[in-house]
Amino acid sequence: MSGEIKMTLRDEMETLLPFYLNGTLSGVDLRRVEDWISNDPDSAEALIEAENEFAFVSDENESMHPHSDAFRRLAQSFANVAAPRAPVAAR
């Protein structure tokens, strides 16, 4: 058993759709996705689903903002960890 996983054409194309949508797909993969979208009627459903997921993730990313003093608190915690500790007096 080689352990190789066989993907269908649709699986391969759906895997590439996020990269197609964010504009980072190029070369042979870009042409394959564009051909698939142009020639396979079922691709429209997959493209709509990928667009919806892409929009949702983009919106979620835009809505996440760190607290205004997050960097100061992070820097302080690093400083606390890195600060030399005074030796503990023997009892």
Coordinates of all heavy atoms in Angstrom, one line a residue:
M1 N 0.8 -1.2 0.0 CA 0.0 0.0 0.0 C 0.9 1.2 0.0 O 1.8 1.4 0.8 CB -0.9 0.0 1.2 CG -1.8 1.1 1.3 SD -2.8 1.1 2.8 CE -4.4 0.7 2.1
S2 N 0.7 2.1 -0.9 CA 1.5 3.3 -1.1 C 1.1 4.4 -0.1 O 1.9 5.4 0.1 CB 1.5 3.8 -2.5 OG 0.2 4.3 -2.8
G3 N -0.1 4.4 0.4 CA -0.5 5.5 1.3 C -0.9 6.7 0.5 O -1.3 7.8 1.1
E4 N -0.9 6.7 -0.8 CA -1.3 7.8 -1.7 C -2.8 8.0 -1.7 O -3.5 7.0 -1.8 CB -0.8 7.6 -3.1 CG -0.9 8.8 -4.0 CD -0.3 8.5 -5.3 OE1 0.8 8.0 -5.4 OE2 -0.9 8.9 -6.3
I5 N -3.3 9.2 -1.5 CA -4.7 9.5 -1.5 C -5.1 10.0 -2.9 O -4.5 10.9 -3.4 CB -5.1 10.5 -0.5 CG1 -4.7 9.9 0.9 CG2 -6.5 10.9 -0.6 CD1 -4.9 10.9 2.0
K6 N -6.1 9.3 -3.5 CA -6.5 9.8 -4.8 C -7.6 10.8 -4.6 O -8.6 10.5 -3.9 CB -7.1 8.6 -5.6 CG -6.0 7.6 -6.0 CD -5.3 8.0 -7.3 CE -4.4 6.9 -7.8 NZ -3.8 7.3 -9.0
M7 N -7.5 11.9 -5.3 CA -8.5 13.0 -5.2 C -9.2 13.0 -6.5 O -8.6 12.8 -7.6 CB -7.9 14.3 -4.9 CG -7.3 14.5 -3.6 SD -6.5 16.1 -3.3 CE -7.9 17.1 -3.1
T8 N -10.5 13.3 -6.5 CA -11.3 13.5 -7.7 C -10.9 14.9 -8.2 O -10.3 15.8 -7.5 CB -12.8 13.5 -7.4 OG1 -13.1 14.6 -6.6 CG2 -13.2 12.2 -6.8
L9 N -11.2 15.2 -9.5 CA -11.0 16.5 -10.1 C -11.7 17.5 -9.3 O -11.1 18.6 -9.0 CB -11.4 16.5 -11.6 CG -11.3 17.8 -12.3 CD1 -9.9 18.3 -12.4 CD2 -12.0 17.8 -13.6
R10 N -12.9 17.3 -8.9 CA -13.7 18.3 -8.1 C -13.0 18.6 -6.8 O -12.8 19.7 -6.4 CB -15.1 17.8 -7.9 CG -15.9 18.9 -7.1 CD -17.3 18.4 -6.8 NE -18.0 19.3 -6.0 CZ -19.0 20.1 -6.4 NH1 -19.5 20.0 -7.6 NH2 -19.6 20.9 -5.5
D11 N -12.5 17.5 -6.1 CA -11.7 17.7 -4.9 C -10.5 18.6 -5.1 O -10.2 19.5 -4.3 CB -11.3 16.4 -4.3 CG -12.5 15.6 -3.7 OD1 -13.5 16.2 -3.4 OD2 -12.3 14.4 -3.6
E12 N -9.8 18.3 -6.2 CA -8.6 19.1 -6.5 C -8.9 20.6 -6.7 O -8.3 21.5 -6.2 CB -7.9 18.5 -7.7 CG -7.2 17.2 -7.5 CD -6.5 16.8 -8.7 OE1 -5.7 17.6 -9.3 OE2 -6.7 15.7 -9.2
M13 N -10.0 20.8 -7.5 CA -10.4 22.2 -7.8 C -10.9 22.9 -6.6 O -10.6 24.1 -6.4 CB -11.4 22.2 -9.0 CG -10.9 21.6 -10.3 SD -9.5 22.5 -11.0 CE -8.2 21.3 -10.6
E14 N -11.7 22.2 -5.8 CA -12.2 22.9 -4.6 C -11.0 23.2 -3.6 O -11.1 24.2 -2.9 CB -13.2 22.0 -3.9 CG -14.5 21.9 -4.6 CD -15.6 21.1 -3.9 OE1 -15.2 20.4 -2.9 OE2 -16.7 21.1 -4.4
T15 N -10.0 22.4 -3.6 CA -8.8 22.7 -2.8 C -8.1 24.0 -3.3 O -7.6 24.7 -2.5 CB -7.8 21.5 -2.8 OG1 -8.5 20.4 -2.3 CG2 -6.6 21.8 -2.0
L16 N -8.2 24.2 -4.6 CA -7.5 25.4 -5.1 C -8.4 26.7 -5.1 O -7.8 27.8 -5.3 CB -7.1 25.1 -6.6 CG -6.0 24.0 -6.7 CD1 -5.8 23.7 -8.2 CD2 -4.7 24.4 -6.1
L17 N -9.7 26.5 -4.9 CA -10.6 27.7 -5.0 C -10.2 28.8 -4.0 O -10.2 30.0 -4.5 CB -12.0 27.3 -4.8 CG -12.7 26.6 -6.0 CD1 -14.1 26.2 -5.7 CD2 -12.7 27.6 -7.2
P18 N -9.8 28.6 -2.8 CA -9.5 29.7 -1.9 C -8.3 30.5 -2.5 O -8.3 31.8 -2.4 CB -9.1 29.0 -0.6 CG -9.8 27.7 -0.6 CD -9.8 27.3 -2.0
F19 N -7.3 29.9 -3.1 CA -6.2 30.6 -3.7 C -6.6 31.3 -5.0 O -6.1 32.4 -5.2 CB -5.1 29.6 -4.0 CG -4.7 28.8 -2.8 CD1 -5.1 27.5 -2.6 CD2 -3.9 29.4 -1.8 CE1 -4.8 26.8 -1.4 CE2 -3.5 28.7 -0.6 CZ -4.0 27.4 -0.5
Y20 N -7.6 30.7 -5.7 CA -8.1 31.4 -6.9 C -8.8 32.7 -6.4 O -8.6 33.8 -7.0 CB -9.1 30.5 -7.6 CG -9.9 31.1 -8.7 CD1 -9.2 31.3 -9.9 CD2 -11.2 31.4 -8.6 CE1 -10.0 31.9 -11.0 CE2 -11.9 32.0 -9.6 CZ -11.3 32.2 -10.8 OH -12.0 32.8 -11.9
L21 N -9.6 32.6 -5.4 CA -10.4 33.7 -4.9 C -9.5 34.8 -4.3 O -9.8 36.0 -4.4 CB -11.4 33.3 -3.9 CG -12.6 32.4 -4.4 CD1 -13.4 31.9 -3.3 CD2 -13.4 33.2 -5.5
N22 N -8.4 34.5 -3.7 CA -7.6 35.6 -3.1 C -6.5 36.0 -4.0 O -5.7 36.9 -3.7 CB -7.0 35.1 -1.7 CG -5.9 34.1 -1.8 OD1 -5.3 33.8 -2.9 ND2 -5.5 33.5 -0.7
G23 N -6.5 35.5 -5.3 CA -5.6 36.0 -6.3 C -4.2 35.5 -6.2 O -3.3 36.1 -6.9
T24 N -3.9 34.4 -5.5 CA -2.6 33.9 -5.4 C -2.3 32.7 -6.3 O -1.2 32.2 -6.3 CB -2.2 33.6 -3.9 OG1 -3.1 32.6 -3.4 CG2 -2.3 34.8 -3.0
L25 N -3.3 32.3 -7.0 CA -3.1 31.1 -7.9 C -2.6 31.6 -9.2 O -3.0 32.6 -9.7 CB -4.5 30.4 -8.1 CG -4.5 29.0 -8.5 CD1 -3.8 28.1 -7.5 CD2 -5.9 28.5 -8.7
S26 N -1.7 30.8 -9.7 CA -1.1 31.2 -11.0 C -0.7 30.0 -11.8 O -0.8 28.8 -11.3 CB 0.2 32.1 -10.8 OG 1.2 31.4 -10.1
G27 N -0.2 30.2 -13.0 CA 0.3 29.1 -13.9 C -0.7 28.1 -14.2 O -1.9 28.3 -14.5
V28 N -0.2 26.8 -14.2 CA -1.0 25.7 -14.6 C -2.3 25.5 -13.7 O -3.4 25.3 -14.2 CB -0.2 24.4 -14.6 CG1 -1.1 23.2 -14.8 CG2 0.9 24.5 -15.6
D29 N -2.1 25.7 -12.4 CA -3.2 25.6 -11.5 C -4.3 26.6 -11.8 O -5.5 26.3 -11.8 CB -2.8 25.7 -10.0 CG -2.0 24.5 -9.6 OD1 -2.2 23.4 -10.1 OD2 -1.2 24.6 -8.7
L30 N -3.9 27.9 -12.1 CA -4.9 28.9 -12.4 C -5.7 28.5 -13.7 O -6.9 28.6 -13.7 CB -4.2 30.2 -12.6 CG -5.1 31.4 -13.1 CD1 -6.2 31.7 -12.1 CD2 -4.3 32.7 -13.3
R31 N -5.0 28.1 -14.7 CA -5.6 27.7 -16.0 C -6.6 26.5 -15.7 O -7.7 26.4 -16.3 CB -4.6 27.3 -17.0 CG -3.9 28.6 -17.6 CD -3.1 28.3 -18.8 NE -1.9 27.5 -18.5 CZ -0.8 28.0 -18.0 NH1 -0.7 29.2 -17.6 NH2 0.2 27.2 -17.8
R32 N -6.1 25.5 -14.9 CA -7.0 24.4 -14.6 C -8.3 24.8 -13.9 O -9.4 24.3 -14.2 CB -6.2 23.3 -13.7 CG -5.1 22.6 -14.5 CD -4.4 21.6 -13.6 NE -5.3 20.5 -13.2 CZ -5.3 19.9 -12.1 NH1 -4.4 20.3 -11.1 NH2 -6.2 19.0 -11.8
V33 N -8.2 25.7 -12.9 CA -9.4 26.1 -12.2 C -10.3 26.9 -13.1 O -11.5 26.7 -13.1 CB -9.0 27.0 -11.0 CG1 -10.2 27.6 -10.4 CG2 -8.3 26.1 -9.9
E34 N -9.7 27.8 -13.9 CA -10.5 28.6 -14.9 C -11.2 27.7 -15.9 O -12.4 27.9 -16.2 CB -9.7 29.6 -15.6 CG -9.2 30.7 -14.7 CD -8.2 31.7 -15.3 OE1 -7.5 31.3 -16.3 OE2 -8.2 32.8 -14.8
D35 N -10.5 26.7 -16.4 CA -11.1 25.7 -17.3 C -12.3 24.9 -16.6 O -13.3 24.7 -17.2 CB -10.1 24.7 -17.8 CG -9.1 25.3 -18.8 OD1 -9.4 26.4 -19.3 OD2 -8.1 24.7 -19.1
W36 N -12.0 24.5 -15.4 CA -13.1 23.8 -14.7 C -14.3 24.7 -14.4 O -15.4 24.2 -14.7 CB -12.5 23.3 -13.3 CG -13.4 22.6 -12.5 CD1 -14.0 21.3 -12.7 CD2 -13.9 23.0 -11.2 NE1 -14.8 21.0 -11.7 CE2 -14.8 21.9 -10.7 CE3 -13.7 24.1 -10.4 CZ2 -15.4 22.0 -9.5 CZ3 -14.4 24.1 -9.2 CH2 -15.2 23.1 -8.7
I37 N -14.1 25.9 -14.1 CA -15.2 26.8 -13.8 C -16.0 27.1 -15.1 O -17.2 27.1 -15.2 CB -14.7 28.2 -13.2 CG1 -14.3 27.9 -11.8 CG2 -15.8 29.2 -13.3 CD1 -13.5 29.1 -11.2
S38 N -15.3 27.2 -16.2 CA -15.9 27.4 -17.5 C -16.6 26.2 -18.1 O -17.6 26.4 -18.8 CB -14.8 27.8 -18.6 OG -14.2 29.0 -18.2
N39 N -16.2 25.0 -17.8 CA -16.7 23.8 -18.4 C -17.5 22.9 -17.6 O -18.2 22.0 -18.1 CB -15.5 23.0 -19.0 CG -14.8 23.8 -20.1 OD1 -15.4 24.5 -20.9 ND2 -13.5 23.8 -20.0
D40 N -17.5 23.0 -16.3 CA -18.2 22.1 -15.4 C -19.4 22.9 -14.7 O -19.2 23.7 -13.9 CB -17.3 21.5 -14.3 CG -17.9 20.4 -13.5 OD1 -19.2 20.4 -13.4 OD2 -17.2 19.6 -13.0
P41 N -20.6 22.5 -15.1 CA -21.8 23.2 -14.5 C -21.8 23.1 -13.0 O -22.3 24.0 -12.3 CB -23.0 22.5 -15.1 CG -22.5 21.6 -16.2 CD -21.0 21.5 -16.0
D42 N -21.3 22.0 -12.4 CA -21.3 21.8 -11.0 C -20.3 22.7 -10.3 O -20.4 22.9 -9.0 CB -21.0 20.4 -10.6 CG -22.1 19.4 -11.0 OD1 -23.2 19.8 -11.1 OD2 -21.8 18.2 -11.3
S43 N -19.4 23.3 -11.0 CA -18.4 24.2 -10.4 C -19.0 25.4 -9.9 O -18.5 26.0 -8.9 CB -17.3 24.5 -11.4 OG -17.8 25.3 -12.5
A44 N -20.1 25.9 -10.4 CA -20.8 27.1 -10.0 C -21.1 27.0 -8.5 O -20.9 27.9 -7.7 CB -22.0 27.4 -10.8
E45 N -21.7 25.9 -8.1 CA -22.1 25.6 -6.7 C -20.9 25.7 -5.8 O -20.9 26.3 -4.7 CB -22.8 24.3 -6.6 CG -23.2 24.0 -5.2 CD -23.8 22.6 -5.1 OE1 -24.4 22.1 -6.1 OE2 -23.8 22.0 -4.0
A46 N -19.8 25.0 -6.2 CA -18.6 25.0 -5.4 C -18.0 26.4 -5.3 O -17.5 26.8 -4.2 CB -17.5 24.0 -6.0
L47 N -18.0 27.1 -6.4 CA -17.5 28.5 -6.4 C -18.3 29.4 -5.5 O -17.7 30.2 -4.7 CB -17.4 29.1 -7.8 CG -16.8 30.4 -8.0 CD1 -15.4 30.4 -7.5 CD2 -16.9 30.9 -9.4
I48 N -19.6 29.3 -5.5 CA -20.4 30.1 -4.6 C -20.1 29.8 -3.2 O -20.0 30.7 -2.3 CB -21.9 29.9 -4.9 CG1 -22.2 30.6 -6.3 CG2 -22.8 30.5 -3.8 CD1 -23.6 30.2 -6.9
E49 N -20.0 28.5 -2.8 CA -19.7 28.1 -1.5 C -18.4 28.6 -1.0 O -18.2 29.1 0.1 CB -19.8 26.6 -1.4 CG -19.6 26.1 0.0 CD -19.7 24.5 0.1 OE1 -20.6 24.0 -0.6 OE2 -19.0 23.9 0.9
A50 N -17.4 28.5 -1.9 CA -16.0 29.0 -1.6 C -16.1 30.5 -1.4 O -15.4 31.1 -0.5 CB -15.0 28.6 -2.6
E51 N -16.8 31.2 -2.2 CA -16.9 32.7 -2.1 C -17.6 33.1 -0.8 O -17.1 34.0 -0.1 CB -17.7 33.3 -3.3 CG -17.0 33.3 -4.6 CD -17.8 33.7 -5.7 OE1 -19.1 33.5 -5.7 OE2 -17.3 34.2 -6.7
N52 N -18.6 32.4 -0.4 CA -19.3 32.6 0.9 C -18.3 32.4 2.1 O -18.3 33.2 3.0 CB -20.5 31.8 1.1 CG -21.6 32.2 0.1 OD1 -21.7 33.4 -0.3 ND2 -22.5 31.3 -0.2
E53 N -17.6 31.3 2.0 CA -16.6 31.0 3.1 C -15.5 32.1 3.1 O -15.1 32.5 4.2 CB -16.0 29.6 2.9 CG -16.9 28.5 3.1 CD -16.3 27.1 2.8 OE1 -15.1 27.0 2.5 OE2 -17.0 26.1 2.8
F54 N -15.0 32.5 1.9 CA -14.0 33.5 1.8 C -14.5 34.8 2.4 O -13.8 35.5 3.2 CB -13.6 33.7 0.4 CG -12.5 34.6 0.1 CD1 -11.2 34.3 0.4 CD2 -12.7 35.9 -0.3 CE1 -10.1 35.1 0.1 CE2 -11.7 36.8 -0.5 CZ -10.4 36.4 -0.3
A55 N -15.7 35.2 2.1 CA -16.3 36.4 2.7 C -16.5 36.4 4.2 O -16.1 37.3 4.9 CB -17.6 36.7 2.0
F56 N -16.9 35.2 4.7 CA -17.1 35.0 6.1 C -15.7 35.2 6.8 O -15.6 35.9 7.8 CB -17.7 33.7 6.4 CG -17.8 33.4 7.9 CD1 -18.8 34.0 8.7 CD2 -16.9 32.5 8.5 CE1 -18.9 33.7 10.0 CE2 -17.0 32.2 9.8 CZ -18.0 32.8 10.6
V57 N -14.7 34.5 6.3 CA -13.4 34.5 7.0 C -12.8 35.9 6.9 O -12.3 36.4 7.9 CB -12.4 33.5 6.3 CG1 -11.0 33.7 6.8 CG2 -12.9 32.1 6.7
S58 N -13.0 36.6 5.8 CA -12.5 38.0 5.7 C -13.2 38.9 6.7 O -12.5 39.7 7.3 CB -12.7 38.5 4.2 OG -12.0 37.8 3.3
D59 N -14.5 38.7 6.8 CA -15.3 39.6 7.7 C -14.8 39.3 9.2 O -14.7 40.2 10.0 CB -16.8 39.3 7.6 CG -17.3 39.9 6.3 OD1 -16.7 40.7 5.7 OD2 -18.5 39.5 6.0
E60 N -14.6 38.0 9.5 CA -14.2 37.7 10.8 C -12.8 38.2 11.1 O -12.5 38.7 12.2 CB -14.2 36.1 11.0 CG -15.5 35.5 11.1 CD -16.3 36.0 12.4 OE1 -15.8 35.9 13.5 OE2 -17.4 36.4 12.2
N61 N -11.9 38.1 10.2 CA -10.6 38.7 10.4 C -10.6 40.2 10.6 O -9.9 40.7 11.4 CB -9.7 38.4 9.2 CG -9.3 36.9 9.2 OD1 -9.3 36.2 10.1 ND2 -8.8 36.4 8.0
E62 N -11.5 40.9 9.8 CA -11.6 42.3 10.0 C -12.2 42.7 11.3 O -11.9 43.8 11.8 CB -12.4 42.9 8.8 CG -11.8 42.9 7.5 CD -10.6 43.7 7.4 OE1 -10.6 44.8 8.0 OE2 -9.6 43.3 6.8
S63 N -13.0 41.9 11.9 CA -13.7 42.2 13.1 C -12.8 42.0 14.4 O -13.1 42.4 15.5 CB -15.0 41.4 13.3 OG -14.7 40.1 13.5
M64 N -11.7 41.3 14.2 CA -10.8 41.0 15.3 C -9.8 42.1 15.5 O -9.0 42.4 14.6 CB -10.1 39.7 15.2 CG -11.0 38.5 15.2 SD -10.2 36.9 15.2 CE -9.4 36.8 13.6
H65 N -9.9 42.8 16.6 CA -8.9 43.8 17.0 C -8.4 43.6 18.4 O -9.2 43.4 19.3 CB -9.5 45.2 16.9 CG -10.0 45.5 15.5 ND1 -9.2 45.9 14.5 CD2 -11.3 45.5 15.0 CE1 -9.9 46.1 13.4 NE2 -11.2 45.9 13.7
P66 N -7.1 43.7 18.6 CA -6.6 43.5 20.0 C -7.0 44.7 20.8 O -7.2 45.8 20.3 CB -5.1 43.4 19.8 CG -4.8 44.1 18.5 CD -6.0 43.9 17.6
H67 N -7.0 44.5 22.1 CA -7.3 45.6 23.1 C -6.2 46.6 22.9 O -5.1 46.3 22.5 CB -7.3 45.0 24.5 CG -7.8 45.9 25.5 ND1 -7.1 46.9 26.1 CD2 -9.1 46.1 26.0 CE1 -7.8 47.6 27.0 NE2 -9.0 47.1 26.9
S68 N -6.6 47.9 23.2 CA -5.6 49.0 22.9 C -4.3 48.9 23.6 O -3.3 49.4 23.2 CB -6.3 50.3 23.2 OG -6.6 50.4 24.6
D69 N -4.3 48.2 24.8 CA -3.0 48.1 25.5 C -2.4 46.7 25.4 O -1.6 46.3 26.2 CB -3.1 48.6 27.0 CG -3.9 47.6 27.8 OD1 -4.7 46.8 27.3 OD2 -3.7 47.6 29.0
A70 N -2.9 45.9 24.4 CA -2.4 44.5 24.3 C -0.9 44.4 24.2 O -0.2 43.6 24.8 CB -3.1 43.8 23.2
F71 N -0.3 45.2 23.3 CA 1.1 45.2 23.1 C 1.9 45.5 24.4 O 2.9 44.9 24.7 CB 1.5 46.1 21.9 CG 3.0 46.0 21.7 CD1 3.5 44.9 21.0 CD2 3.9 47.0 22.1 CE1 4.9 44.8 20.8 CE2 5.3 46.9 21.8 CZ 5.8 45.7 21.2
R72 N 1.4 46.5 25.1 CA 2.1 46.9 26.3 C 2.1 45.8 27.3 O 3.1 45.5 28.0 CB 1.4 48.2 26.9 CG 2.1 48.7 28.2 CD 1.3 49.6 29.0 NE 0.0 49.1 29.4 CZ -0.2 48.2 30.4 NH1 0.9 47.7 31.1 NH2 -1.4 47.7 30.7
R73 N 0.9 45.1 27.5 CA 0.8 44.0 28.4 C 1.7 42.9 28.0 O 2.3 42.2 28.8 CB -0.6 43.6 28.5 CG -1.5 44.6 29.3 CD -2.9 44.2 29.5 NE -3.6 44.0 28.2 CZ -4.5 43.1 28.0 NH1 -4.9 42.2 28.9 NH2 -5.1 43.0 26.8
L74 N 1.8 42.6 26.7 CA 2.6 41.5 26.2 C 4.1 41.8 26.5 O 4.8 41.0 27.0 CB 2.4 41.3 24.7 CG 3.3 40.2 24.0 CD1 2.9 38.8 24.6 CD2 3.0 40.2 22.5
A75 N 4.5 43.0 26.2 CA 5.9 43.4 26.4 C 6.2 43.4 27.9 O 7.3 42.9 28.3 CB 6.1 44.9 25.9
Q76 N 5.3 43.8 28.8 CA 5.5 43.7 30.2 C 5.6 42.2 30.7 O 6.5 41.9 31.5 CB 4.3 44.4 31.0 CG 4.5 44.4 32.5 CD 5.8 45.2 32.9 OE1 6.0 46.3 32.4 NE2 6.6 44.6 33.7
S77 N 4.8 41.4 30.1 CA 4.9 40.0 30.5 C 6.3 39.4 30.1 O 6.9 38.6 30.9 CB 3.8 39.1 30.0 OG 3.9 39.0 28.6
F78 N 6.8 39.7 28.9 CA 8.1 39.3 28.6 C 9.2 39.9 29.5 O 10.1 39.2 29.9 CB 8.5 39.7 27.1 CG 7.7 38.9 26.1 CD1 7.3 39.5 24.9 CD2 7.5 37.6 26.2 CE1 6.7 38.8 23.9 CE2 6.8 36.9 25.2 CZ 6.4 37.5 24.1
A79 N 9.0 41.1 29.8 CA 10.0 41.8 30.8 C 10.0 41.1 32.1 O 11.0 40.9 32.7 CB 9.7 43.2 30.9
N80 N 8.8 40.7 32.6 CA 8.7 40.0 33.9 C 9.4 38.7 33.9 O 10.0 38.3 34.8 CB 7.2 39.8 34.3 CG 6.5 41.1 34.6 OD1 7.2 42.2 34.8 ND2 5.2 41.1 34.6
V81 N 9.2 37.9 32.8 CA 9.9 36.6 32.6 C 11.4 36.8 32.5 O 12.1 36.0 33.1 CB 9.3 35.9 31.4 CG1 10.1 34.6 31.1 CG2 7.8 35.5 31.7
A82 N 11.8 37.8 31.8 CA 13.2 38.0 31.6 C 14.0 38.6 32.7 O 15.2 38.6 32.8 CB 13.4 38.8 30.3
A83 N 13.3 39.3 33.6 CA 13.9 40.0 34.7 C 14.7 39.1 35.6 O 14.2 38.0 35.9 CB 12.9 40.8 35.5
P84 N 15.9 39.4 36.0 CA 16.6 38.6 37.0 C 15.8 38.5 38.3 O 15.2 39.5 38.7 CB 17.9 39.3 37.1 CG 17.8 40.7 36.6 CD 16.6 40.7 35.7
R85 N 15.9 37.4 38.9 CA 15.2 37.2 40.2 C 16.2 37.3 41.3 O 17.3 36.8 41.2 CB 14.5 35.8 40.2 CG 13.5 35.7 39.1 CD 12.6 34.5 39.3 NE 11.7 34.2 38.2 CZ 10.5 34.8 38.0 NH1 10.1 35.7 38.8 NH2 9.8 34.4 37.0
A86 N 15.7 37.9 42.4 CA 16.6 38.0 43.6 C 16.7 36.6 44.2 O 15.7 35.8 44.2 CB 16.0 39.0 44.5
P87 N 17.9 36.2 44.7 CA 18.0 34.9 45.4 C 17.1 34.9 46.6 O 16.9 35.9 47.3 CB 19.5 34.9 45.7 CG 20.1 36.2 45.5 CD 19.1 37.0 44.7
V88 N 16.6 33.7 46.8 CA 15.8 33.5 48.0 C 16.7 33.3 49.2 O 17.6 32.5 49.2 CB 14.8 32.3 47.8 CG1 14.0 32.0 49.0 CG2 14.0 32.5 46.6
A89 N 16.4 34.0 50.3 CA 17.2 33.9 51.5 C 17.0 32.6 52.2 O 15.9 32.1 52.2 CB 16.9 35.0 52.4
A90 N 18.0 32.0 52.7 CA 17.9 30.7 53.4 C 17.2 31.0 54.7 O 17.5 32.0 55.4 CB 19.3 30.1 53.6
R91 N 16.5 30.0 55.1 CA 15.8 30.2 56.4 C 16.5 29.5 57.5 O 17.1 28.5 57.5 CB 14.4 29.6 56.3 CG 13.5 30.4 55.3 CD 12.1 29.8 55.3 NE 11.4 30.4 54.2 CZ 10.2 30.9 54.3 NH1 9.6 30.9 55.4 NH2 9.6 31.3 53.2

